[in-house]
Amino acid sequence: IICIEFNYGTRSYEDEMSNFEKIIKNITKDEKLSDEQKQVDIQRIEFLKERATQNKDKYKKMSHQEIRTIFYTQGVW
């Protein structure tokens, strides 16, 4: 038996980009991080942004209920 929880949906490409910008902003403001660590963290997020842009056409915003319905009607691949 496999149990799957449906607590989260998925983001659109635009929502994902907005989330990355929010993360970068938070990193920049974080006083606990050294400048070096901030730079490393921001570079990591920039890399993820690049990957997201490369896969822009694969993003589709869905609610957790929509995902649940698909899995129950079409199965989990």
Side-chain angles (χ1 to χ4, degrees), residues 8 12 27 29 32 36 44 54 57 66-67:
Y8 304 99
S12 67
I27 291 169
K29 290 181 180 180
K32 293 179 241 168
E36 267 182 41
R44 191 176 116 254
Q54 291 169 359
D57 59 323
E66 289 171 313
I67 295 169

Side-chain angles (χ1 to χ4, degrees), residues 2 4 13 22 27 32 38 42 51 60 62-63:
I2 297 174
I4 300 174
Y13 171 76
K22 202 179 304 183
I27 291 169
K32 293 179 241 168
K38 287 179 185 181
I42 290 171
R51 293 293 305 266
K60 182 179 179 185
M62 296 174 73
S63 71

Side-chain angles (χ1 to χ4, degrees), residues 6-57:
F6 299 94
N7 296 330
Y8 304 99
T10 60
R11 295 184 184 111
S12 67
Y13 171 76
E14 292 77 15
D15 291 342
E16 190 70 8
M17 288 294 124
S18 177
N19 188 53
F20 285 140
E21 291 304 323
K22 202 179 304 183
I23 292 169
I24 289 172
K25 194 176 200 178
N26 289 337
I27 291 169
T28 305
K29 290 181 180 180
D30 192 339
E31 295 176 5
K32 293 179 241 168
L33 296 175
S34 68
D35 288 342
E36 267 182 41
Q37 188 60 49
K38 287 179 185 181
Q39 186 178 7
V40 168
D41 290 352
I42 290 171
Q43 284 177 343
R44 191 176 116 254
I45 299 302
E46 291 295 340
F47 171 77
L48 294 174
K49 282 176 62 176
E50 261 182 57
R51 293 293 305 266
T53 300
Q54 291 169 359
N55 293 290
K56 182 178 181 177
D57 59 323

